[in-house]
């Protein structure tokens, strides 16, 4: 008998994550095995040069369950995180699509908070937010009460600057944290966000949210627990910030001049009107 059609697809972009992805998959499988809905984990190996694909393949054989399936999608060569998530969203089978980072920085149990938010509001998408944590971290660094000092303060400052760039130049309104790698989309919202997405690296999240708002879809922001994981690939916060600014400016210019096309409100992408019943996302 074939596995049930998944209610949720978790898209996990992965580049050289052989040392960290097992812990993230364990947490996801443990949580989803107790859920009242079938789900699938879709790992998109973004041209890794290590053993990420082998680790995922071995894991899938070892931890296969009737209600949680695991698939591996290989993208060669490396195309960037945005390209990996776009490919995963296109291959997703679920009625809902969650983007989750392979490092496990956001506790997987936060998926319940995102589902609760869309259930309560009727939103088409829910994005995890670390803004409350950054504010607390920056305050701790400033008054000496905790944190990691200069790095926390610099991260908080650059996050604020990028938020202003997103607000004033990126055209995305009402979202304090566009970059958290933990976002939930209805199937229709995933189509609006990813089909036609052009940015493939640092600022692809901004483009996705811009496309959702252009399509008239509702997005709710949800505070989530987040921990910085050792081994982050964003080695230079300042350099990454410059690249992200360049991506945002390129995006707005391309859409403003008609080089890129936004999803239309009447082009087959309609806002989600109904509210999913809460029991569909409850634990067994």
């Amino acid at each position: 008998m074939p596995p049930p059609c998944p209610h949720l697809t978790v898209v996990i972009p992965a580049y050289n994550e052989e040392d960290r992805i097992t812990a993230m998959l364990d947490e996801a499988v443990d949580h989803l095995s107790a859920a009242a809905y079938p789900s699938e984990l879709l790992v998109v190996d973004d041209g890794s040069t290590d053993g990420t694909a082998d680790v995922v393949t071995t894991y899938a054989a070892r931890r296969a369950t009737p209600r949680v399936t695991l698939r591996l999608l290989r993208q060669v060569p490396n195309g960037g995180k945005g390209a990996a998530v776009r490919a995963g969203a296109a291959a997703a089978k679920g009625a809902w699509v969650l983007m989750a980072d392979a490092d496990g920085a956001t506790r997987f149990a936060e998926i319940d908070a995102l589902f609760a938010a869309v259930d309560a509001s009727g939103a088409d998408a829910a994005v995890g937010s670390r803004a409350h944590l950054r504010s607390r971290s920056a305050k701790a660094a400033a008054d000496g009460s905790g944190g990691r000092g200069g790095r926390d303060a610099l991260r908080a400052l650059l996050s604020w600057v990028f938020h202003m760039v997103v607000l004033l130049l990126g055209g995305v309104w009402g979202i304090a944290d566009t970059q958290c790698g933990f976002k939930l989309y209805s199937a229709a919202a995933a189509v609006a966000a990813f089909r036609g997405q052009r940015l493939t690296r640092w600022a692809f999240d901004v483009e996705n949210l811009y496309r959702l708002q252009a399509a008239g879809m509702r997005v709710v922001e949800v505070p989530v627990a987040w921990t910085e994981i050792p081994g982050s690939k964003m080695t230079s916060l300042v350099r990454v910030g410059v690249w992200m600014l360049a991506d945002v400016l390129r995006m707005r210019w391309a859409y403003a001049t008609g080089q890129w096309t936004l999803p239309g409100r009447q082009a087959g992408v309609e806002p989600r009107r109904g509210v999913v019943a809460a029991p569909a996302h409850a634990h067994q």
Side-chain angles (χ1 to χ4, degrees):
M1 179 181 297
C5 184
H7 180 65
L8 171 70
T9 295
V10 182
V11 175
I12 307 166
Y15 176 68
N16 291 350
E17 294 286 359
E18 65 176 1
D19 294 330
R20 303 192 297 184
I21 196 167
T22 296
M24 185 272 174
L25 292 174
D26 275 339
E27 187 179 355
V29 171
D30 289 345
H31 187 80
L32 292 173
S33 294
Y37 51 85
S39 55
E40 65 170 348
L41 302 176
L42 177 54
V43 178
V44 184
D45 179 14
D46 184 24
S48 295
T49 57
D50 68 356
T52 297
D54 292 335
V55 169
V56 173
T57 300
T58 301
Y59 186 94
R62 177 171 59 87
R63 289 217 62 184
T65 72
R67 299 186 63 78
V68 183
T69 59
L70 194 153
R71 291 193 286 148
L72 173 67
L73 180 63
R74 304 194 71 171
Q75 177 170 271
V76 179
N78 174 267
K81 181 180 177 181
V85 176
R86 180 180 62 197
K93 299 177 181 179
W96 290 88
V97 178
L98 175 74
M99 179 185 77
D101 283 347
D103 62 5
T106 303
R107 292 174 55 250
F108 196 84
E110 297 289 354
I111 181 66
D112 295 341
L114 269 57
F115 267 135
V118 296
D119 286 347
S121 65
D124 303 277
V127 300
S129 174
R130 306 156 296 177
H132 62 300
L133 299 174
R134 284 202 297 257
S135 298
R136 186 187 313 158
S137 174
K139 180 179 183 299
D143 63 17
S145 60
R148 290 182 300 279
R151 180 175 173 83
D152 276 342
L154 177 60
R155 183 184 290 274
L157 173 62
L158 291 177
S159 295
W160 179 83
V161 170
F162 186 69
H163 171 63
M164 296 309 296
V165 168
V166 170
L167 181 65
L168 300 177
L169 301 178
V172 175
W173 294 85
I175 304 296
D177 182 7
T178 59
Q179 302 309 113
C180 181
F182 204 73
K183 294 181 174 69
L184 179 68
Y185 308 82
S186 68
V191 169
F194 293 102
R195 185 179 296 173
Q197 169 201 311
R198 302 294 291 275
L199 295 181
T200 59
R201 295 193 182 272
W202 306 110
F204 78 92
D205 302 83
V206 178
E207 183 184 7
N208 291 161
L209 293 170
Y210 183 67
R211 292 176 62 82
L212 284 177
Q213 291 183 344
M217 292 190 163
R218 296 181 60 191
V219 182
V220 61
E221 189 169 25
V222 182
V224 295
W226 180 87
T227 303
E228 184 176 356
I229 304 298
S232 171
K233 297 179 179 63
M234 295 178 67
T235 54
S236 171
L237 296 176
V238 175
R239 184 165 65 247
V240 168
V242 172
W243 289 338
M244 293 174 76
L245 172 60
D247 262 0
V248 170
L249 293 175
R250 174 185 171 218
M251 176 197 80
R252 287 307 304 274
W253 174 258
Y255 281 123
T257 58
Q259 298 175 53
W260 299 356
T261 305
L262 285 168
R265 292 173 184 257
Q266 305 302 319
V269 179
E270 296 296 335
R272 172 175 171 262
R273 301 300 183 186
V275 177
V276 178
H281 302 133
H283 286 164
Q284 290 178 330

